[in-house]
Amino acid sequence: MRRLLALLAFLALPVLADDVARLHALFDRTWEFQLEEDPLFATSVGRHEYGDRLPAIGPADLERQYRFAKSALAELAAIDRAKLPPFEAVNYDEFRRQLTVAVGNYELGDYQLPFNADSGFHSSFSRLPQDVPLATVKDYDNYIARLRAWPAYVKQQISHMRAGLKRGMSIPRATLDGYDTTIAAHVVDSPAKSVFWAPFAAFPASVPAAEHQRLRAEGQAAVAAAISGYSDFLDFFRKEYLPGARTTLGAYEMPKGREYYQHKIREFTTLDLTPEEIHKTGLREVERISGEMSAVMKQVGFQGDFAAFLQFLRTDPRFYAKTPEELLARASRLAKRIDGKLPSLFKTLPRLPYTVEPVPDDIAPKYTSGRYVNAPQGSTQPGIYWVNTYKLENRPLYNLPALTLHEAVPGHHLQVALSRELENLPNFRRFSYISAFGEGWGLYSEWLGVEAAFYTDPYDNFGRLTYEMWRACRLVVDTGLHSMGWTRQQAIDYMATRTALPIHEVTTEVDRYISWPAQALAYKLGELKIKELRRRAETALGPKFDVREFHDVVLGSGSVPLSVLESNIDAWIAKQK
């Protein structure tokens, strides 16, 4: 009998190997297709053979990409998932999820919304000098070619936005006041004043001096072309988009709006939850966190109600930096403090370092308080923790510790840098970012500061609770806006009366939720799942539980759907037991 079983297992091996080989051949073909279709993404992952191009986004291009995704899904369905080993089954599921999201985005017209109140195609392109290699003559020629291609790329984006306006698929008008400044910042009267000119002002030693004059001359013309592209976008935005943008707010009021919002919930959270279910979860979390906030008020001996405490926090000068340099210095100091805590929380740390920089001036007025910026793969760049120094009176210091934990370490920098070092993953997973996992980890990282005794001041702990309340409010506000008919002012008032966020930040955040449906849901739902899994592991393992190993397991498979994360933790618990 034993021999028979061994023989059957041996005979099954070629079939299994064939299924895995077919699966990875499909992964590889799709990856190469994606890199050729999106050369900017290719650059970000360290592939430079398309370094002189911009993404293909014309109508025929989008149709081709859609048909490729559909055919890849059909080819995937022909592979028997049940015959795959567990690791490959996870690859199978995540590949199918990514393709399904891409197909849905095309069918629902998501490409007609190439920007939101937070950022867009124009603001990401403004980082081109930092995002591309500029060490050789070829690098410079590629950079020049991309600048020259920008006006045509902008025209294609304008064509998509114009079509969206005609069918009611646009960013709501209520969120767009002042947004033109993010475009106008790049419409300057001289190439030398453009952010794109910096590489020509000083060449690296690796670029021969004999090439400098030619590159500067061609660069001047190319930067002028880039400026003209921004000028075209600004003209369209002011004359057509702003007057023509829809006056409604909710995603449900766009074409196939309820279907679109449910699709975005699945994309950003990886969960099949209804807006109503998410709304109720948010209400429960708001109530719980309110109790913890009240406890901190008593701890500091504040005399007055919650509204008075929020007013005190928003107006007392002790909580605000006097200069941008002071705010950046405080953030840098906090970053180094938490660096020192990492060995007690993690066994595996990334090799890539990170730095602290201000949010660029062109996007700062409408931007959030901070953000993490990935380093292009294979570049000499570090990760960057951005801190917004615009309007210092709206950047309270008591929020800065939680922000640092979220955006730098142990949050996004640690998680993303580790994911890039996971050589056992197929590329489509290694370089993907799932919001529920990444943002859930970021919010969980804020809470880890409690465990690491990082919040030494009760006001800083209140700032952490404000940030947690902010994410809980998002569940209520986002679903309220996009499925329940909430008004913009209703959303602002809800957040302003429950968090210590400055009113400016509350307003920019609400505009972000209005213009970016469902993305804000990822944070709290992801954090709740990670905390739930940690409690499960602690209960099951008792004294055998090692938080450092738990964190290695959470981060050890890269960015994964929450269901996969749960399976990973359950398997680890079983192995430990």
Side-chain angles (χ1 to χ4, degrees), residues 79-100:
I79 298 173
D80 189 350
R81 182 189 181 281
K83 293 181 179 179
L84 299 174
F87 177 76
E88 298 299 349
V90 170
N91 289 334
Y92 182 105
D93 291 344
E94 176 52 17
F95 187 67
R96 181 173 54 190
R97 192 192 74 84
Q98 289 187 21
L99 290 172
T100 302

Side-chain angles (χ1 to χ4, degrees), residues 26 47 87 104 189 197 224 228 244 284 330 338 381 389 395 408 423 446 480 500 550:
L26 179 57
R47 291 280 298 274
F87 177 76
D189 57 15
W197 181 253
S228 73
R284 287 195 300 270
R330 183 73 70 96
I338 194 60
Q381 300 292 320
T389 58
R395 312 295 170 194
E423 297 179 356
E446 296 174 27
F550 173 79

Side-chain angles (χ1 to χ4, degrees), residues 460-516:
D460 289 348
N461 191 40
F462 193 88
R464 175 190 70 83
L465 290 168
T466 274
Y467 266 33
E468 188 180 8
M469 176 66 88
W470 170 27
R471 279 42 168 268
C473 287
R474 284 175 170 179
L475 301 185
V476 179
V477 168
D478 196 283
T479 51
L481 287 164
H482 293 299
S483 68
M484 300 174 184
W486 278 36
T487 67
R488 179 171 179 265
Q489 192 58 51
Q490 187 178 357
I492 290 172
D493 291 344
Y494 187 87
M495 291 188 66
T497 55
R498 289 164 176 81
T499 76
L501 294 175
I503 300 302
H504 171 81
E505 191 165 5
V506 168
T507 303
T508 58
E509 282 295 316
V510 168
D511 285 348
R512 171 185 164 187
Y513 312 150
I514 292 171
S515 63
W516 201 358

Side-chain angles (χ1 to χ4, degrees), residues 513-531:
Y513 312 150
I514 292 171
S515 63
W516 201 358
Q519 190 273 343
L521 305 176
Y523 300 69
K524 193 61 180 165
L525 293 176
E527 180 234 14
L528 287 173
K529 176 56 71 174
I530 295 172
K531 282 186 172 179

Side-chain angles (χ1 to χ4, degrees), residues 236-384:
F236 166 76
F237 183 86
R238 287 174 172 170
K239 293 180 180 178
E240 292 185 54
Y241 203 90
L242 199 60
R246 64 187 177 100
T247 56
T248 56
L249 287 183
Y252 72 96
E253 296 172 283
M254 293 193 295
K256 295 185 177 179
R258 294 199 182 276
E259 181 183 349
Y260 177 81
Y261 188 48
Q262 192 65 61
H263 174 74
K264 286 296 175 183
I265 288 174
R266 285 192 294 269
E267 176 183 350
F268 288 118
T269 73
T270 73
L271 301 170
D272 284 317
L273 295 174
T274 66
E276 292 74 22
E277 289 171 325
I278 296 170
H279 195 83
K280 290 176 182 176
T281 298
L283 292 174
R284 287 195 300 270
E285 283 293 286
V286 166
E287 183 177 359
R288 177 187 63 79
I289 300 165
S290 293
E292 294 189 36
M293 287 178 145
S294 297
V296 176
M297 282 179 57
K298 292 178 181 177
Q299 182 184 357
V300 299
F302 184 80
Q303 301 298 314
D305 61 12
F306 189 71
F309 189 57
L310 295 185
Q311 181 64 15
F312 158 67
L313 291 173
R314 287 173 176 147
T315 56
D316 194 300
R318 84 177 87 166
F319 298 123
Y320 297 87
K322 295 179 176 59
T323 65
E325 291 73 22
E326 181 186 349
L327 184 61
L328 291 170
R330 183 73 70 96
S332 300
R333 169 64 179 140
L334 289 168
K336 291 311 295 180
R337 273 186 57 210
I338 194 60
D339 279 350
K341 303 278 189 180
L342 295 182
S344 66
L345 297 169
F346 299 89
K347 284 187 172 181
T348 307
L349 296 173
R351 294 188 296 271
L352 184 73
Y354 68 96
T355 188
V356 182
E357 293 182 3
V359 172
D361 292 341
D362 60 306
I363 59 175
K366 296 285 283 184
Y367 211 66
T368 188
S369 53
R371 186 70 56 86
Y372 176 67
V373 182
N374 296 338
Q377 187 73 6
S379 73
T380 58
Q381 300 292 320
I384 303 173

